[in-house]
mmCIF file of all heavy atoms in Angstrom:
data_model
loop_
_atom_site.group_PDB
_atom_site.id
_atom_site.type_symbol
_atom_site.label_atom_id
_atom_site.label_comp_id
_atom_site.label_asym_id
_atom_site.label_seq_id
_atom_site.Cartn_x
_atom_site.Cartn_y
_atom_site.Cartn_z
ATOM 1 N N VAL A 27 122.435 126.067 97.210
ATOM 2 C CA VAL A 27 123.265 127.220 97.555
ATOM 3 C C VAL A 27 124.570 126.757 98.176
ATOM 4 O O VAL A 27 125.649 127.319 97.841
ATOM 5 C CB VAL A 27 122.488 128.246 98.399
ATOM 6 C CG1 VAL A 27 123.393 129.349 98.885
ATOM 7 C CG2 VAL A 27 121.263 128.828 97.640
ATOM 8 N N GLY A 28 124.503 125.840 99.067
ATOM 9 C CA GLY A 28 125.702 125.365 99.707
ATOM 10 C C GLY A 28 126.752 124.743 98.688
ATOM 11 O O GLY A 28 127.915 124.993 98.793
ATOM 12 N N LEU A 29 126.135 124.018 97.763
ATOM 13 C CA LEU A 29 127.013 123.456 96.744
ATOM 14 C C LEU A 29 127.611 124.528 95.826
ATOM 15 O O LEU A 29 128.762 124.353 95.347
ATOM 16 C CB LEU A 29 126.207 122.444 95.850
ATOM 17 C CG LEU A 29 125.993 121.095 96.423
ATOM 18 C CD1 LEU A 29 125.051 120.250 95.633
ATOM 19 C CD2 LEU A 29 127.276 120.405 96.705
ATOM 20 N N LEU A 30 126.866 125.614 95.580
ATOM 21 C CA LEU A 30 127.472 126.692 94.837
ATOM 22 C C LEU A 30 128.649 127.365 95.610
ATOM 23 O O LEU A 30 129.687 127.597 94.988
ATOM 24 C CB LEU A 30 126.405 127.829 94.529
ATOM 25 C CG LEU A 30 125.322 127.548 93.527
ATOM 26 C CD1 LEU A 30 124.289 128.629 93.567
ATOM 27 C CD2 LEU A 30 125.998 127.539 92.176
ATOM 28 N N VAL A 31 128.524 127.549 96.880
ATOM 29 C CA VAL A 31 129.589 128.076 97.680
ATOM 30 C C VAL A 31 130.839 127.138 97.691
ATOM 31 O O VAL A 31 131.924 127.593 97.509
ATOM 32 C CB VAL A 31 129.114 128.398 99.131
ATOM 33 C CG1 VAL A 31 130.244 128.803 100.032
ATOM 34 C CG2 VAL A 31 128.029 129.502 99.106
ATOM 35 N N ILE A 32 130.559 125.870 97.980
ATOM 36 C CA ILE A 32 131.709 124.911 97.949
ATOM 37 C C ILE A 32 132.318 124.874 96.569
ATOM 38 O O ILE A 32 133.516 124.824 96.493
ATOM 39 C CB ILE A 32 131.137 123.535 98.446
ATOM 40 C CG1 ILE A 32 130.771 123.590 99.925
ATOM 41 C CG2 ILE A 32 132.201 122.476 98.157
ATOM 42 C CD1 ILE A 32 129.992 122.396 100.352
ATOM 43 N N SER A 33 131.539 124.850 95.520
ATOM 44 C CA SER A 33 132.095 124.799 94.144
ATOM 45 C C SER A 33 132.989 125.993 93.906
ATOM 46 O O SER A 33 134.029 125.901 93.300
ATOM 47 C CB SER A 33 130.948 124.704 93.159
ATOM 48 O OG SER A 33 130.260 123.582 93.288
ATOM 49 N N TYR A 34 132.527 127.155 94.330
ATOM 50 C CA TYR A 34 133.357 128.401 94.094
ATOM 51 C C TYR A 34 134.637 128.289 94.845
ATOM 52 O O TYR A 34 135.777 128.520 94.234
ATOM 53 C CB TYR A 34 132.599 129.621 94.626
ATOM 54 C CG TYR A 34 133.443 130.837 94.592
ATOM 55 C CD1 TYR A 34 133.686 131.519 93.438
ATOM 56 C CD2 TYR A 34 134.030 131.306 95.734
ATOM 57 C CE1 TYR A 34 134.486 132.605 93.371
ATOM 58 C CE2 TYR A 34 134.812 132.442 95.738
ATOM 59 C CZ TYR A 34 135.038 133.056 94.561
ATOM 60 O OH TYR A 34 135.839 134.224 94.448
ATOM 61 N N ILE A 35 134.614 127.925 96.090
ATOM 62 C CA ILE A 35 135.906 127.856 96.869
ATOM 63 C C ILE A 35 136.852 126.808 96.264
ATOM 64 O O ILE A 35 138.021 127.139 96.096
ATOM 65 C CB ILE A 35 135.512 127.534 98.400
ATOM 66 C CG1 ILE A 35 134.855 128.749 98.997
ATOM 67 C CG2 ILE A 35 136.811 127.147 99.148
ATOM 68 C CD1 ILE A 35 134.191 128.501 100.357
ATOM 69 N N VAL A 36 136.335 125.573 96.082
ATOM 70 C CA VAL A 36 137.213 124.523 95.508
ATOM 71 C C VAL A 36 137.728 124.837 94.119
ATOM 72 O O VAL A 36 138.862 124.708 93.818
ATOM 73 C CB VAL A 36 136.485 123.165 95.624
ATOM 74 C CG1 VAL A 36 137.337 122.088 94.911
ATOM 75 C CG2 VAL A 36 136.255 122.729 97.012
ATOM 76 N N GLY A 37 136.752 125.332 93.262
ATOM 77 C CA GLY A 37 137.110 125.612 91.822
ATOM 78 C C GLY A 37 138.079 126.799 91.732
ATOM 79 O O GLY A 37 138.920 126.886 90.804
ATOM 80 N N GLU A 38 137.887 127.778 92.564
ATOM 81 C CA GLU A 38 138.763 129.044 92.415
ATOM 82 C C GLU A 38 140.124 128.915 93.150
ATOM 83 O O GLU A 38 141.080 129.487 92.614
ATOM 84 C CB GLU A 38 137.965 130.185 93.042
ATOM 85 C CG GLU A 38 136.757 130.612 92.244
ATOM 86 C CD GLU A 38 137.140 131.200 90.857
ATOM 87 O OE1 GLU A 38 138.155 131.980 90.740
ATOM 88 O OE2 GLU A 38 136.496 130.768 89.880
ATOM 89 N N PHE A 39 140.149 128.169 94.231
ATOM 90 C CA PHE A 39 141.406 128.192 95.021
ATOM 91 C C PHE A 39 142.120 126.815 95.079
ATOM 92 O O PHE A 39 143.286 126.815 95.488
ATOM 93 C CB PHE A 39 141.047 128.599 96.437
ATOM 94 C CG PHE A 39 140.421 129.962 96.489
ATOM 95 C CD1 PHE A 39 139.148 130.127 96.832
ATOM 96 C CD2 PHE A 39 141.154 131.137 96.038
ATOM 97 C CE1 PHE A 39 138.490 131.331 96.867
ATOM 98 C CE2 PHE A 39 140.566 132.359 96.116
ATOM 99 C CZ PHE A 39 139.264 132.496 96.493
ATOM 100 N N ILE A 40 141.525 125.734 94.571
ATOM 101 C CA ILE A 40 142.177 124.420 94.650
ATOM 102 C C ILE A 40 142.428 123.852 93.287
ATOM 103 O O ILE A 40 143.511 123.469 92.964
ATOM 104 C CB ILE A 40 141.351 123.534 95.520
ATOM 105 C CG1 ILE A 40 141.327 124.096 96.974
ATOM 106 C CG2 ILE A 40 141.944 122.090 95.576
ATOM 107 C CD1 ILE A 40 140.397 123.338 97.981
ATOM 108 N N LEU A 41 141.415 123.727 92.489
ATOM 109 C CA LEU A 41 141.480 123.133 91.142
ATOM 110 C C LEU A 41 141.992 124.025 90.112
ATOM 111 O O LEU A 41 141.663 125.290 90.119
ATOM 112 C CB LEU A 41 140.151 122.528 90.751
ATOM 113 C CG LEU A 41 139.614 121.405 91.630
ATOM 114 C CD1 LEU A 41 138.252 120.940 91.135
ATOM 115 C CD2 LEU A 41 140.564 120.191 91.622
ATOM 116 N N PRO A 42 142.647 123.603 89.092
ATOM 117 C CA PRO A 42 143.048 124.504 87.979
ATOM 118 C C PRO A 42 141.846 124.842 87.073
ATOM 119 O O PRO A 42 140.872 124.066 87.039
ATOM 120 C CB PRO A 42 144.086 123.655 87.189
ATOM 121 C CG PRO A 42 143.769 122.281 87.516
ATOM 122 C CD PRO A 42 143.231 122.261 88.930
ATOM 123 N N LYS A 43 141.942 125.898 86.351
ATOM 124 C CA LYS A 43 140.837 126.302 85.522
ATOM 125 C C LYS A 43 141.155 125.883 84.048
ATOM 126 O O LYS A 43 142.305 125.875 83.681
ATOM 127 C CB LYS A 43 140.689 127.848 85.486
ATOM 128 C CG LYS A 43 140.051 128.378 86.774
ATOM 129 C CD LYS A 43 139.604 129.765 86.491
ATOM 130 C CE LYS A 43 138.781 130.191 87.703
ATOM 131 N NZ LYS A 43 137.890 131.296 87.373
ATOM 132 N N TYR A 44 140.048 125.580 83.293
ATOM 133 C CA TYR A 44 140.159 125.197 81.980
ATOM 134 C C TYR A 44 139.327 126.163 81.115
ATOM 135 O O TYR A 44 138.120 125.958 81.130
ATOM 136 C CB TYR A 44 139.720 123.708 81.743
ATOM 137 C CG TYR A 44 140.511 122.784 82.593
ATOM 138 C CD1 TYR A 44 140.068 122.315 83.759
ATOM 139 C CD2 TYR A 44 141.801 122.309 82.160
ATOM 140 C CE1 TYR A 44 140.750 121.392 84.533
ATOM 141 C CE2 TYR A 44 142.491 121.530 82.920
ATOM 142 C CZ TYR A 44 142.024 121.024 84.084
ATOM 143 O OH TYR A 44 142.676 120.151 84.898
ATOM 144 N N PRO A 45 140.004 127.155 80.535
ATOM 145 C CA PRO A 45 139.235 128.193 79.785
ATOM 146 C C PRO A 45 138.271 127.560 78.730
ATOM 147 O O PRO A 45 138.750 126.703 77.945
ATOM 148 C CB PRO A 45 140.242 129.108 79.176
ATOM 149 C CG PRO A 45 141.450 128.835 79.934
ATOM 150 C CD PRO A 45 141.395 127.382 80.451
ATOM 151 N N LEU A 46 137.120 128.073 78.663
ATOM 152 C CA LEU A 46 136.096 127.604 77.627
ATOM 153 C C LEU A 46 136.035 128.619 76.497
ATOM 154 O O LEU A 46 136.382 129.827 76.714
ATOM 155 C CB LEU A 46 134.752 127.392 78.246
ATOM 156 C CG LEU A 46 134.692 126.338 79.303
ATOM 157 C CD1 LEU A 46 133.226 126.282 79.940
ATOM 158 C CD2 LEU A 46 134.991 124.930 78.731
ATOM 159 N N VAL A 47 135.485 128.279 75.433
ATOM 160 C CA VAL A 47 135.259 129.161 74.361
ATOM 161 C C VAL A 47 134.196 130.214 74.647
ATOM 162 O O VAL A 47 133.252 129.900 75.465
ATOM 163 C CB VAL A 47 134.754 128.338 73.108
ATOM 164 C CG1 VAL A 47 134.506 129.163 71.872
ATOM 165 C CG2 VAL A 47 135.747 127.219 72.718
ATOM 166 N N TYR A 48 134.305 131.382 74.053
ATOM 167 C CA TYR A 48 133.415 132.458 74.380
ATOM 168 C C TYR A 48 131.935 132.110 74.191
ATOM 169 O O TYR A 48 131.060 132.443 74.997
ATOM 170 C CB TYR A 48 133.758 133.690 73.501
ATOM 171 C CG TYR A 48 132.782 134.886 73.693
ATOM 172 C CD1 TYR A 48 132.934 135.595 74.821
ATOM 173 C CD2 TYR A 48 131.923 135.175 72.787
ATOM 174 C CE1 TYR A 48 132.122 136.639 75.088
ATOM 175 C CE2 TYR A 48 130.986 136.229 72.972
ATOM 176 C CZ TYR A 48 131.156 136.990 74.107
ATOM 177 O OH TYR A 48 130.296 138.021 74.290
ATOM 178 N N LEU A 49 131.700 131.305 73.156
ATOM 179 C CA LEU A 49 130.291 130.855 72.853
ATOM 180 C C LEU A 49 129.734 130.089 74.138
ATOM 181 O O LEU A 49 128.536 130.302 74.488
ATOM 182 C CB LEU A 49 130.238 129.916 71.710
ATOM 183 C CG LEU A 49 128.877 129.413 71.308
ATOM 184 C CD1 LEU A 49 127.944 130.451 70.968
ATOM 185 C CD2 LEU A 49 129.013 128.349 70.207
ATOM 186 N N PHE A 50 130.526 129.311 74.821
ATOM 187 C CA PHE A 50 129.998 128.636 76.040
ATOM 188 C C PHE A 50 129.647 129.633 77.097
ATOM 189 O O PHE A 50 128.730 129.381 77.873
ATOM 190 C CB PHE A 50 131.052 127.575 76.488
ATOM 191 C CG PHE A 50 131.214 126.409 75.578
ATOM 192 C CD1 PHE A 50 132.453 126.036 75.082
ATOM 193 C CD2 PHE A 50 130.047 125.663 75.211
ATOM 194 C CE1 PHE A 50 132.544 124.911 74.270
ATOM 195 C CE2 PHE A 50 130.185 124.517 74.407
ATOM 196 C CZ PHE A 50 131.480 124.187 73.912
ATOM 197 N N LYS A 51 130.494 130.645 77.230
ATOM 198 C CA LYS A 51 130.163 131.678 78.257
ATOM 199 C C LYS A 51 128.789 132.342 77.939
ATOM 200 O O LYS A 51 128.007 132.538 78.837
ATOM 201 C CB LYS A 51 131.239 132.747 78.301
ATOM 202 C CG LYS A 51 132.539 132.163 78.897
ATOM 203 C CD LYS A 51 133.504 133.236 79.184
ATOM 204 C CE LYS A 51 134.802 132.737 79.747
ATOM 205 N NZ LYS A 51 134.806 132.246 81.065
#
Side-chain angles (χ1 to χ4, degrees):
V27 171
L29 284 172
L30 283 172
V31 172
I32 291 167
S33 296
Y34 172 77
I35 292 168
V36 172
E38 290 296 315
F39 302 111
I40 298 172
L41 296 178
K43 287 194 169 204
Y44 301 99
L46 297 174
V47 179
Y48 177 74
L49 177 64
F50 289 126
K51 290 189 184 288

